[in-house]
């Protein structure tokens, strides 16, 4: 198990990483080349080349080691391919398919060739052909042996005759007669041994030979027992017959005669030729099966090497084929995951290279198209956001409906004016609306929908239980296109608000004109009065002088007063620029409260807050101005009271923030109501322009809030109540009908 | 993995199984005429493969190999390396085995292989080196072997794997004790 894991690790550890792969393949081919070279030399050696015969074992070891190395490399690669296949790595299946198909294509012909090669090698070509020659050779051998035997028997007979002849010879006669006898019988050598085997007489054709070969003791005994023995000797192709017989000496122990007869040269040569040929034939017959075995052995090695090389080449081929496909698979995966930056490295210039180039071009085009689409989407989004901002900042309510008159979008003012959860009505059929949006249902039912209408104005009155609202609406029909159905846009406002805004707009216009018209002559008037005072001063009588001084002072004061009033007008007429940001309203209220709490010992200030920290979107500067204005008003109202009391309260109800400033002052005049105290130039104070509350209301409206002023029910005094939204404007997406999720900006 | 281990073990041991067909008894060492001589007796086995080759006209070369070492503290020091060679062949005409010394060309003829083996099994008074060259505590390594060099290539492969070709004795290592 551990071995398997280590093999897997070997296959996966950068292991058979690209660098190692690059090394292993050339290494494997080098080993294969070396093995092949050794095989060629081995084949030479097998064919009998003496040069390589001495290297036979070294070559054999080299080949076996080479084949083993290749086998291990092939096994590792196959194992690696199998692991890839099991792990479903891109391209692994194709790699395996190419591998086995290539192997199938190449190995079958290879095995067929090997099969027939083996068959031919095992075929005994010469067996039938050589049979006759074999027999002839064997017969020649027998013939030669017979001829030599006949010659040997003849030599034995002659030797026996000589033995009889020399038996009676004395030692001296023997010495002198032996050479003559040798010559007479044609022997090349004659030797006489005594009973102990010592040489008694010796004659030889070779004068250089001093001592002849001495037979073994056993040979003497055999010669005596058998009446003579002979042996055929061969020395460098020259055959000779050596005979040993006993010499019966009368009345004395036996002597022995050794004779040597050379076989005639012609016979000797022919016999030697037969001997050599027979020996060569025997050698050939002996070696033939071994030659076959050697060739088969070499053939098996060649076959093994060829198969291993084939597998290795197939792996290389499969890798080369799969590599670009693997790259393409990785590339397409990246593209499918949205990564268009994936570019393939082109290393080849074949069809795969073209394919990879096309892929790169395609991803580049996709990238460009996606970037364009993204850019367009951003543009549309920003335009939509801009439009939504515009609509949401409109003080009038805006509703958009589809062609089935189902609500698509609405703005904050619409929600506020209709005072119902409009989100519940989004994409709901008008007849299936819940009771929570009853007011909206009635509102829509009263709208006269006419296609193709643009800017049709209408007044609508809604009477629900205790609520009565009067709206003025403007309906616009949206045109249908091929892909989109048309719809409707309703812009509406509460009748009172509408006219109040109209009035306020008129007042603002008046204030702006007044400020402009009055402000301009004020400075020349003031300068003219001061000049008059300067010129006449000292030229008039005391009484007239006093009158002048008093008149000039009145003019100057009135001009300054007019200037202040003009500044107030100017501020009122000026549009408020609000930079809304998250604001901790509780902190701001505490800060303002701290400023006033010790303002007057006669007035008791108290702060009541139900929440610790409340955040809203708003302008700190403008809201601070609102609180200062309202608290100042409250203080002024309490000025004549012996024990004034001002309560500042903050509470959170649903998604609204309620802030109230209550005093126990004189209260509002009975004929005053919510509407007219916020109108410009309406004031209950002796001094003042009557623009303070108008500006306060304007600021609160800018914060999408409301402000109301009313007398306290249970005691004297006035409560100023501000209601501010806690969350920002809600907009429903209109881009897709199926997308019902409201989005918050 | 188990099978692979067994295969590797078999391949490692197999050559050892093919050795040690011939045996050599402890030799005698004598010094004559200031020369160290060796007398040895061996039990030489000529297996079927060898006899078959000789009978079919292949000349085989046998040899006694001697290596004399002097013991040194670091490693044995080689003093002399020599061998006594025999070429064995068969004559079909005379039906005799011929044992020839390739250096002296001295030949011996034998009618039977038994006598050839008997001849090969004895080595008498073979000179090794001058007695003056013999160090103290010298030891001799010797073996009897069939020389593979002169074998035909086709037989070489067979000789590597077939027991019927195993003639070689193991290497013997004896201390040289002169009588």
């Amino acid at each position: 198990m551990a071995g398997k894991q280590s093999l897997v690790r070997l296959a996966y550890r950068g292991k058979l990483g690209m660098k190692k792969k690059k090394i292993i393949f050339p290494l494997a081919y080098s080993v294969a080349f070396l093995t092949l070279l050794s095989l060629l030399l081995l084949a030479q050696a097998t064919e009998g080349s003496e040069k390589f015969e001495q290297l036979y074992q070294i070559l054999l070891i080299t080949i076996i080691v080479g084949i083993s190395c290749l086998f291990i490399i092939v096994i590792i690669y196959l194992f690696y391919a199998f692991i890839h296949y099991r792990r479903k790595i891109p391209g692994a299946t194709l790699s395996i398919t190419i591998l086995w198909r290539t192997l199938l294509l190449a190995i079958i012909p290879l095995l067929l060739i090997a099969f027939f090669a083996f068959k031919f090698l095992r075929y005994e070509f010469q067996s039938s052909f050589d049979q006759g020659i074999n027999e002839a050779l064997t017969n020649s051998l027998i013939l030669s042996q017979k001829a030599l035997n006949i010659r040997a028997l003849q030599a034995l007979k002659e030797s026996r005759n000589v033995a009889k002849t020399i038996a009676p010879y004395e030692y001296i006669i023997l010495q002198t007669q032996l050479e003559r006898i040798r010559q007479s019988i044609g022997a090349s050598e004659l030797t006489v041994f005594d009973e102990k085997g010592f040489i008694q007489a010796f004659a030889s054709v070779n004068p250089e030979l001093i001592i002849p070969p001495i037979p073994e003791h056993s040979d003497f005994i055999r010669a005596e027992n058998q009446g003579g023995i002979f042996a055929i000797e061969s020395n460098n192709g020259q055959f000779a017959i050596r005979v040993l017989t006993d010499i019966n000496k009368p009345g004395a122990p036996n002597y022995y005669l050794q004779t040597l007869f050379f076989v005639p040269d012609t016979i000797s040569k022919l016999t030697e030729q037969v001997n050599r040929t027979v020996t060569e034939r025997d050698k050939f017959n002996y070696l033939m099966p071994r030659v076959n075995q050697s060739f088969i052995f070499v053939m098996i090695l060649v076959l093994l090497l060829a198969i291993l090389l084939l597998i290795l080449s197939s792996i290389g081929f499969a890798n080369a084929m799969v590599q670009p496909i693997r790259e393409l698979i990785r590339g397409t995966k990246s593209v499918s995951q949205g990564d268009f930056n994936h570019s393939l490295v082109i290393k080849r210039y074949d069809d795969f290279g073209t394919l990879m180039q096309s892929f790169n071009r395609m991803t580049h085009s996709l990238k460009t198209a996606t970037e364009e689409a993204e850019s367009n989407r951003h543009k549309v989004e920003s335009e939509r956001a801009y439009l939504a901002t515009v609509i949401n900042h409109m003080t009038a309510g805006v509703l958009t409906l589809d062609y089935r008159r189902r609500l698509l979008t609405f703005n904050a003012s619409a929600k506020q004016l209709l005072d119902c959860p409009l989100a519940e009505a989004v994409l709901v059929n008008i007849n299936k609306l819940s009771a929570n949006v009853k007011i909206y249902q009635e509102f829509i039912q009263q709208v006269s929908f006419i296609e193709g209408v643009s800017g049709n104005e209408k007044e609508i009155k809604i009477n629900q239980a205790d609520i009565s609202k009067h709206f003025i609406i403007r309906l616009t029909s949206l045109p249908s296109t091929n892909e989109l159905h048309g719809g409707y846009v309703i812009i509406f406002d509460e009748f009172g608000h509408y006219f109040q805004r109209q009035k306020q707009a008129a007042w603002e216009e008046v204030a702006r004109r007044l400020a402009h018209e009055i402000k301009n002559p004020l400075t020349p008037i003031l300068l003219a009065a001061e000049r008059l005072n300067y010129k006449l001063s000292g030229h008039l009588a005391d009484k007239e002088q006093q009158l002048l001084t008093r008149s000039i002072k009145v003019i100057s004061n009135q001009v300054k007063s007019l200037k202040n009033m003009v500044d107030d007008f100017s501020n009122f007429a000026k549009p408020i620029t609000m930079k809304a940001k998250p604001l901790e309203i509780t902190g701001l209220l505490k800060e303002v409260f701290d400023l006033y709490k010790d303002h007057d010992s006669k007035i008791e200030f108290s702060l009541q807050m139900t929440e610790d920290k409340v955040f809203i979107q708003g302008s700190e500067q403008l809201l601070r101005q609102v609180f200062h204005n309202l608290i100042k008003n409250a203080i002024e109202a309490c000025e004549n009271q012996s024990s004034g009391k001002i309560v500042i309260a903050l509470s959170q109800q649903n998604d609204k923030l309620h802030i109230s400033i209550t005093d126990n002052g004189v209260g509002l005049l009975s004929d005053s109501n919510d509407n007219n105290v916020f109108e410009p130039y309406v004031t209950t104070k002796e001094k003042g322009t009557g623009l303070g509350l108008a500006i306060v209301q304007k600021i609160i409206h800018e914060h999408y809030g409301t402000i109301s002023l009313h007398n306290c029910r249970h005691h004297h005094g006035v409560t100023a109540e501000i209601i501010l939204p806690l969350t920002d404007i809600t907009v429903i997406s209109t881009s897709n009908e199926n997308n019902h999720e409201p989005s918050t900006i | 993995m188990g099978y692979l281990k067994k295969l590797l073990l078999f391949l490692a041991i197999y050559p050892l199984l093919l050795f040690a067909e011939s045996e050599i008894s402890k030799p005698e060492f004598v010094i004559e005429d200031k020369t160290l001589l060796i007398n040895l007796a061996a039990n030489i086995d000529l297996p079927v493969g060898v006899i078959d080759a000789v009978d079919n006209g292949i000349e085989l070369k046998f040899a006694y190999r001697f290596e004399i070492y002097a013991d040194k503290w670091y490693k044995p020091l080689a003093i002399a390396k020599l061998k006594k060679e025999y070429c064995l062949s068969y004559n079909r005409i005379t039906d005799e085995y011929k044992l020839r010394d390739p250096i002296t060309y001295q030949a011996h003829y034998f009618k039977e292989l038994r006598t050839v083996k008997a001849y090969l099994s004895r080595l008498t008074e073979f000179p090794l080196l001058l007695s003056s060259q013999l160090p103290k505590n010298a030891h001799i390594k010797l073996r009897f072997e069939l020389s593979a060099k002169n074998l035909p290539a086709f037989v070489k492969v067979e000789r590597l794997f077939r027991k019927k070709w195993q003639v070689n004795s193991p290497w013997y290592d004896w201390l040289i004790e002169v009588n």
Side-chain angles (χ1 to χ4, degrees), chain A residues 252-269:
Chain A
N254 283 346
Y255 275 30
Y256 300 95
L257 174 68
Q258 179 179 268
T259 54
L260 182 71
F261 294 93
F262 280 113
V263 176
D265 282 351
T266 318
I267 297 170
S268 196
K269 275 181 185 172

Side-chain angles (χ1 to χ4, degrees), chain A residues 439 442 446 460-470:
Chain A
I439 190 166
E442 196 178 331
Q446 287 192 37
I460 289 173
K461 272 190 179 177
I462 296 168
N463 292 310
Q464 291 275 328
D466 55 342
I467 306 166
S468 175
K469 292 198 174 188
H470 191 185

